[in-house]
Amino acid sequence: MSVRGTKIEIQGLSQRYPTRKVPTFNRVDLVSPPGEALAIIGRSGCGKSTLLHILAGLTKGTEGRILLNGTEVAGPSPRWVMMFQAPHLYPWMTVTENVGVGLTFARWGKKEIAERVNDAISLVELQEFAQANVQDLSGGQQQRVALARSLVMEPELLLLDEPFSALDAFTRAALQKDVRSISKRLGFNIVIVTHDIDEAVIMADRAVIMAGSPGDIVHEMDVDLPNPRDRTDPEVQKLRARLMATFQEAANYRKPEVALAGAVH
Amino acid sequence: MSEAATPAGAAGEPGAAGLAAAQGLRRLLWGVAGIAVLAVLWLIAGSMLENNPRTTNFATFGLIPTLEAFPQLWAAGKIQAASIASGYRLGMGLGIAIAIGVPIGVLMGRVKWFQQYSNSPFQFLRMISPLSWMPLAVLVFATWDGSIIFLIAIASVWPVIFATAAGLAKVDPAWFKVARNLGASPLQMLTKIIMPAIAFDIFSGIRLALGVAWIVLVPAEYLGVTSGLGYAIEDARETLSYNHLTALVLTIGCIGYVLDGTLVMLIKRFSWHRGGAN
Ligand SMILES: Nc1ncnc2c1ncn2[C@@H]1O[C@H](COP(=O)(O)OP(=O)(O)OP(=O)(O)O)[C@@H](O)[C@H]1O
Ligand SMILES: [Mg+2]
């Protein structure tokens, strides 16, 4: 498998749910070069998932546009694949069938599907479960199947919406490293949405902070660390502390009343 | 009692296959035992009819005369002809109910406004006893066959609709999002995601529908038509061949049992829920 990344350009993107008075976010601009792993950090409810859904073409923004390699995103496509917080596997399919489902949608031949699916399953190290019922897998294994299901499409861009938050700390750490190393090996872009600073530090090349109401990108920071990254590495710790401080500062700046509530603790 | 029904050799057998076989055997034995009780009660009732001078005319209702009637009816081709005629009506009626019910159920489950508009009229129509459509059906349809098929269809369409809609309502909406995300066309969404996701519910609905259809079929055939199991029963009553009558009733029971068992198998086959069907 080999893939190339894509240049992501978000231009003046605004979104407003008809049922809410304030827009979710207003005129967001963001550029990510090919192959970059970008983390978007923000408090719950600031519009991260919404932004990711628009990037995936699953919803439309009310204003502005998104360009991938210069072409506007008009709808969902297997070239930009989203991985959700929960695996959402199809329980009537085996692991192999789940992983290959996108290729069957694209009407690939049986043999080609089998080959690509095999590669993807090896990539996430689930060979021995290839024929298993997905309901018999652990949460972490299921999320790895979901990862393989996304990777098998050889996307230019992998969108991750807090994909590991439901997992235990060990599995989470392992998968964070795996996804990063696979993306670097294959060269595709990642946009990961999270409220976990650690996750951003371990996985991203750059982190942007989204805050306020309406939400906006209020800060960004390069995560310039060697690979593979280890949580206990002092360099990682230092960057983590800096990012945390920036995050809090951004939150304070935009929402003083939240800062006050935080100071009581 | 339970010890008596358990084969002593199978109980100690290790392995899942052995265990499943032992369970299957036990279920079979229980089934046979249940039928045997029924048969014994029937035998007793038959002999009571025979020994009471006031009811001795009805003695052929008993088990033995009934069993004797089977070869006669079979040789005359009556069971086959009646079953085929009834089976045709049942198949057509159920087929129409499924062909109409599944798409409507999918619409109800997927399209919110349709669900809101259709729910009350459907619940209302559902509560109309199917046989009360009979006079109307006879007016509208040129043939008796047509009216009976209509009655079966209208009786069995509701369970199919509501089971399909309920199945779809339970489906994780993220499954659709994932499929869309991976490039599924609307048709693929239907055939590869929606149908396998709710096949279990549809078959459960069809099973209920079959029960209702079977109930409607026989009384509907008492009227007008000159073929089918209902007609054959009515005919046997008029010619006072009570053993034929009970043999036909038994046939109805057997066919219904087999059809229901087939659907239970289909439900199990298409159930992806952990712990199996029911
Ligand atoms: N379908 C919807 N209709 C109306 N409002 C919505 C809808 N979906 C989300 N919102 C609102 O939009 C805002 C942003 O939601 P979003 O899910 O994007 O937040 P988030 O940053 O992903 O939060 P979290 O970290 O908790 O997942 C929230 O205030 C939410 O209540
Ligand atoms: Mg979210």
Side-chain angles (χ1 to χ4, degrees):
Chain A
M1 289 198 198
S2 70
V3 207
R4 275 220 339 265
T6 184
K7 183 180 184 196
I8 308 166
E9 293 168 88
I10 300 176
Q11 299 178 344
L13 191 70
S14 303
Q15 215 277 353
R16 165 197 286 276
Y17 283 108
T19 47
R20 297 178 78 234
K21 275 211 205 84
V22 275
T24 315
F25 44 77
N26 210 356
R27 304 199 149 275
V28 172
D29 291 291
L30 193 61
V31 177
S32 176
E36 187 184 55
L38 176 72
I40 301 175
I41 312 173
R43 272 178 194 286
S44 184
C46 72
K48 306 181 299 290
S49 295
T50 307
L51 180 62
L52 219 53
H53 274 74
I54 298 173
L55 263 172
L58 289 167
T59 14
K60 276 217 138 329
T62 21
E63 243 178 81
R65 56 184 196 161
I66 290 170
L67 303 179
L68 295 181
N69 272 348
T71 317
E72 189 166 352
V73 172
S77 155
R79 283 166 56 203
W80 41 90
V81 175
M82 174 128 154
M83 219 182 126
F84 301 89
Q85 184 165 352
H88 300 305
L89 303 177
Y90 299 115
W92 59 89
M93 299 182 190
T94 63
V95 169
T96 300
E97 289 166 338
N98 263 287
V99 173
V101 71
L103 297 177
T104 54
F105 290 152
R107 300 182 196 289
W108 281 48
K110 270 207 166 73
K111 228 185 97 218
E112 289 116 313
I113 293 183
E115 278 169 23
R116 279 256 295 250
V117 166
N118 239 326
D119 289 351
I121 290 179
S122 314
L123 214 53
V124 298
E125 296 173 359
L126 282 175
Q127 293 95 321
E128 60 177 304
F129 297 100
Q131 295 311 321
N133 182 319
V134 292
Q135 293 171 94
D136 292 338
L137 303 184
S138 72
Q141 287 165 337
Q142 289 190 13
Q143 199 55 303
R144 296 224 295 271
V145 176
L147 177 62
R149 179 171 67 182
S150 307
L151 293 178
V152 83
M153 306 307 292
E154 302 196 346
E156 301 157 15
L157 165 60
L158 184 63
L159 301 161
L160 303 159
D161 190 358
E162 299 173 27
F164 312 124
S165 53
L167 305 176
D168 67 274
F170 292 108
T171 318
R172 191 188 314 139
L175 273 174
Q176 286 167 347
K177 272 190 200 163
D178 288 352
V179 171
R180 179 175 168 85
S181 74
I182 292 168
S183 80
K184 289 297 158 197
R185 188 141 41 96
L186 302 182
F188 58 82
N189 283 56
I190 287 184
V191 175
I192 180 163
V193 147
T194 183
H195 41 221
D196 177 357
I197 306 270
D198 281 324
E199 190 158 84
V201 176
I202 297 292
M203 291 189 70
D205 300 321
R206 188 160 62 106
V208 299
I209 291 165
M210 206 168 159
S213 181
D216 197 1
I217 307 292
V218 295
H219 226 290
E220 67 165 82
M221 183 182 279
D222 284 327
V223 183
D224 193 9
L225 292 167
N227 291 308
R229 296 166 180 177
D230 195 317
R231 235 160 271 274
T232 52
D233 185 333
E235 283 297 308
V236 172
Q237 293 279 332
K238 225 159 72 194
L239 211 137
R240 183 192 179 285
R242 252 178 63 210
L243 194 55
M244 183 60 111
T246 317
F247 185 36
Q248 262 158 4
E249 190 185 310
N252 289 354
Y253 172 73
R254 285 273 159 163
K255 281 198 142 184
E257 71 275 26
V258 173
L260 230 74
V264 177
H265 285 267
Chain B
M1 271 303 269
S2 100
E3 272 76 18
T6 311
E13 220 171 272
L19 208 71
Q23 267 173 1
L25 196 62
R26 178 195 290 217
R27 214 172 315 153
L28 189 73
L29 287 173
W30 273 112
V32 169
I35 302 272
V37 170
L38 215 60
V40 167
L41 287 176
W42 193 352
L43 260 179
I44 295 170
S47 79
M48 276 162 63
L49 282 174
E50 201 171 351
N51 295 329
N52 185 335
R54 279 172 52 209
T55 58
T56 188
N57 279 345
F58 302 106
T60 49
F61 271 121
L63 175 61
I64 311 250
T66 298
L67 290 178
E68 280 166 2
F70 270 107
Q72 296 164 13
L73 281 168
W74 186 267
K78 278 195 177 168
I79 290 189
Q80 299 91 312
S83 304
I84 288 168
S86 290
Y88 167 75
R89 292 175 193 132
L90 184 82
M92 288 296 286
L94 264 183
I96 291 168
I98 293 166
I100 294 174
V102 171
I104 290 183
V106 169
L107 267 181
M108 273 182 85
R110 282 288 276 170
V111 184
K112 203 158 190 103
W113 65 261
F114 185 78
Q115 201 265 333
Q116 280 163 349
Y117 282 113
S118 60
N119 198 45
S120 317
F122 281 177
Q123 294 290 359
F124 173 77
L125 286 172
R126 182 173 78 96
M127 291 316 292
I128 297 175
S129 160
L131 283 174
S132 61
W133 290 100
M134 187 72 159
L136 203 72
V138 171
L139 279 177
V140 170
F141 291 91
T143 61
W144 280 99
D145 258 350
S147 352
I148 293 178
I149 290 171
F150 167 79
L151 287 187
I152 292 174
I154 205 158
S156 47
V157 76
W158 310 114
V160 176
I161 290 179
F162 289 115
T164 306
L168 212 51
K170 280 185 306 187
V171 163
D172 182 353
W175 286 343
F176 302 129
K177 212 154 64 175
V178 169
R180 221 148 61 79
N181 191 212
L182 292 172
S185 68
L187 184 68
Q188 289 170 328
M189 187 73 90
L190 186 70
T191 57
K192 302 232 190 278
I193 307 299
I194 295 182
M195 279 307 154
I198 62 169
F200 161 87
D201 302 277
I202 292 178
F203 282 117
S204 305
I206 293 176
R207 187 184 174 200
L208 291 177
L210 176 76
V212 183
W214 203 231
I215 289 170
V216 170
L217 174 71
V218 174
E221 282 177 343
Y222 284 168
L223 305 161
V225 288
T226 53
S227 63
L229 291 161
Y231 164 76
I233 289 179
E234 192 61 10
D235 190 47
R237 188 185 64 83
E238 277 170 8
T239 57
L240 308 181
S241 359
Y242 297 127
N243 57 341
H244 287 193
L245 196 156
T246 42
L248 287 162
V249 169
L250 218 57
T251 306
I252 290 175
C254 288
I255 296 177
Y257 188 81
V258 169
L259 289 178
D260 188 63
T262 311
L263 276 165
V264 170
M265 256 168 55
L266 280 172
I267 291 169
K268 282 213 175 109
R269 159 71 186 75
F270 284 97
S271 167
W272 45 263
H273 303 89
R274 265 291 181 252
N278 305 323

